[in-house]
Amino acid sequence: MESSSEGVARTGDGGAVEDPAPTVPAPVEAGVPEAGVPEAVAVEKGAVESVGPESVVAAVTAIAPAPRSPSAPASLSPSRAGDFMQCPLLYRFRVIDRLPEKPSPAATKGTLVHAVLERLFDAPAAERTAPRAKSLIPGQWDRLRETRPEVGELFADDPEGERLAGWLVEAERLVERWFTLEDPTRLEPAERELFVEAELESGLRLRGIIDRVDVAPTGEVRIVDYKTGKAPRAEYADGALFQMKFYALVVWRLKNVVPRRLQLVYLGSGDVLTYDPVLADLERVERKLLALWEAIRLATETGEWRPRPTKLCGWCDHQAHCPEFGGTPPPYPLPVTLPVRAAESEDGAQGRMGPG
């Protein structure tokens, strides 16, 4: 981070949008679109601001893991909070049934770009240049294919490699744009890809991964998240900031420190969205999360997971199981009388910050 308290202020101009006071967002019909995909796709680790059908934003996971055994919800992340608010049945399919999903080009590109920006900070400050960052892309793509073989399906029908080449060029452009928004030679992140987890007094366990944490010499904390899509319109800014306020809440509960600044860097449009939270913001988010978790608990106990049709349904992998498309959900894998605690910790720890 910069060597002054300015290290927690906006880095770069980039058409940043200020959000001086939290407001109730207008209804969202199609979410915040990612670059190259109309009407809505995945935002990495994204979610929404308010609880209820009147405020809906997609939060689609980047790469789906292999199917696992069904289980009751035990914690909440920004992505899963967004899933439930978008469509309770989608939440069930992902969290309880754990149905497989196909990787998408947009989300996989986001994963690749995130890996490149994380690895760039391994180099000395003077060597953090755009050419060096772009040179990391082939190696990180190879690594991604090794660790997540399912992404190989994306270009299985591209024997000549033309689509893959174009896709990698798009990733290069996103990486290059970052250098117009921030100067990595002046940044020394305190943390990158930081796993955070905290248990609230209610027992609800919150968890997530923060792209970058900067700490100024004066101790002020900035939380930064990269987005490979475009910045939302001003009326949807609160929804876009929900994820960041979620992380700020976890950091406050873990460290008793309210982050000085929350910053979203939109590589798809070259914008930077910043917000300076206050304690009341975090308390408000905590109340909303508790209400959301209660709704999830009731749905888990009753087995009532209703679909909520939106324009986002066109990108859902689970149409074959959705009643809105003539499908039938899998048999509910949990007892409908199952008592659900807000969250349980296997090791009894109250929270942690570190590798996930």
Side-chain angles (χ1 to χ4, degrees):
M1 190 163 190
E2 294 95 331
S3 58
S4 72
S5 59
E6 293 180 356
V8 292
R10 183 192 298 111
T11 304
D13 184 58
V17 180
E18 290 291 347
D19 183 15
T23 58
V24 178
V28 180
E29 293 184 355
V32 180
E34 275 285 357
V37 182
E39 290 301 325
V41 235
V43 236
E44 310 86 0
K45 305 185 287 298
V48 297
E49 170 67 20
S50 65
V51 176
E54 71 280 358
S55 181
V56 179
V57 175
V60 183
T61 50
I63 299 295
R68 296 172 292 173
S69 300
S71 64
S75 63
L76 193 61
S77 69
S79 294
R80 300 293 73 81
D83 286 344
F84 188 84
M85 288 183 279
Q86 175 188 323
C87 174
L89 186 58
L90 174 64
Y91 177 96
R92 177 201 149 171
F93 287 157
R94 285 180 168 161
V95 177
I96 295 179
D97 298 295
R98 303 188 181 187
L99 299 181
E101 296 180 345
K102 297 178 182 179
S104 75
T108 305
K109 189 191 307 171
T111 302
L112 174 60
V113 170
H114 274 71
V116 168
L117 298 186
E118 179 191 3
R119 293 275 69 84
L120 182 65
F121 284 102
D122 290 340
E127 299 177 19
R128 298 171 193 161
T129 63
R132 183 183 182 94
K134 290 193 295 182
S135 74
L136 296 174
I137 291 177
Q140 291 302 313
W141 172 232
D142 290 341
R143 181 174 178 272
L144 184 58
R145 287 186 297 173
E146 291 174 2
T147 57
R148 298 180 178 180
E150 63 269 27
V151 303
E153 301 174 11
L154 292 172
F155 303 102
D157 59 347
D158 183 34
E160 302 300 322
E162 294 181 0
R163 285 200 302 112
L164 173 60
W167 183 83
L168 291 172
V169 168
E170 292 172 359
E172 288 185 354
R173 290 172 180 163
L174 293 173
V175 169
E176 284 184 316
R177 183 167 288 148
W178 178 59
F179 285 83
T180 69
L181 305 174
E182 295 191 289
D183 181 1
T185 65
R186 300 181 61 206
L187 296 170
E188 290 298 338
E191 300 287 352
R192 290 171 278 155
E193 294 297 314
L194 176 66
F195 174 79
V196 292
E197 184 178 61
E199 185 174 304
L200 305 182
E201 292 180 359
S202 65
L204 172 57
R205 184 165 288 271
L206 306 178
R207 62 193 305 170
I209 299 177
I210 302 174
D211 288 346
R212 198 179 85 217
V213 178
D214 300 334
V215 180
T218 53
E220 296 169 301
V221 174
R222 175 173 61 188
I223 296 177
V224 181
D225 196 81
Y226 309 119
K227 300 296 183 188
T228 51
K230 297 180 179 179
R233 296 196 298 270
E235 60 266 35
Y236 301 143
D238 279 335
L241 283 167
F242 172 82
Q243 171 193 3
M244 306 302 285
K245 293 177 182 179
F246 183 108
Y247 293 146
L249 169 61
V250 176
V251 170
W252 171 52
R253 285 303 188 186
L254 285 173
K255 299 294 185 180
N256 199 32
V257 172
V258 176
R260 171 67 177 83
R261 174 150 293 189
L262 310 177
Q263 179 168 303
L264 284 160
V265 181
Y266 287 94
L267 305 177
S269 57
D271 294 306
V272 177
L273 179 66
T274 62
Y275 183 77
D276 296 342
V278 295
L279 184 57
D281 293 329
L282 308 188
E283 293 173 336
R284 187 180 304 112
V285 170
E286 182 170 336
R287 290 193 297 271
K288 291 180 178 180
L289 291 174
L290 292 174
L292 177 62
W293 190 250
E294 176 63 15
I296 292 173
R297 184 189 66 80
L298 290 174
T300 304
E301 290 181 344
T302 62
E304 292 291 329
W305 301 92
R306 298 182 180 180
R308 182 177 296 149
T310 68
K311 293 180 180 180
L312 300 173
C313 293
W315 286 271
C316 183
D317 281 341
H318 308 302
Q319 293 181 10
H321 297 289
C322 180
E324 293 294 324
F325 292 86
T328 302
Y332 191 53
L334 302 176
V336 295
T337 56
L338 179 69
V340 178
R341 295 176 59 186
E344 292 182 0
S345 170
E346 295 180 358
D347 57 9
Q350 290 302 303
R352 49 186 170 142
M353 294 180 68

